[in-house]
Amino acid sequence: YSSIYGIGAIGAAMIIGSGGIDLSPGAVIALASVVTGHLFAVAGMPLAVAAAGGLVAGLACGALSAWLVVGAGLPPFIATLG
C-alpha cells in the first residue's frame, strides 16, 4: 500500500508547495479503484481495459479540478472540496 500513498503524497506535495491545498487525491484514487473494479468484476471487461477505464476516470477528475483552478480561477481548496 505504500506506493499508493506515495503517489497521492507526491500529488498533494506539488499543490501544497505552490501555496494551495488539494483535498482530492484520496477521493480520486478511490474513484479510479472503484471504476476499475466495477469494469473488471461486474462488467466482465479485460483487466487492461478496466485499468484504462480507471485511469480515464482519474484523468477526468484531474482535468476538471485543473480547469476549476486555472480556468475559473477558484482556489485549489474550494475547487477540490466537492
Side-chain angles (χ1 to χ4, degrees):
Y1 294 111
S2 62
S3 63
I4 295 171
Y5 297 133
I7 292 169
I10 289 170
M14 290 178 6
I15 299 299
I16 292 170
S18 69
I21 300 292
D22 188 357
L23 302 174
S24 66
V28 172
I29 290 170
L31 175 68
S33 300
V34 168
V35 167
T36 301
H38 177 78
L39 291 176
F40 183 65
V42 176
M45 295 185 176
L47 183 58
V49 174
L55 286 173
V56 167
L59 286 171
C61 289
L64 176 62
S65 293
W67 180 83
L68 287 172
V69 172
V70 176
L74 291 174
F77 181 78
I78 301 299
T80 61
L81 192 59

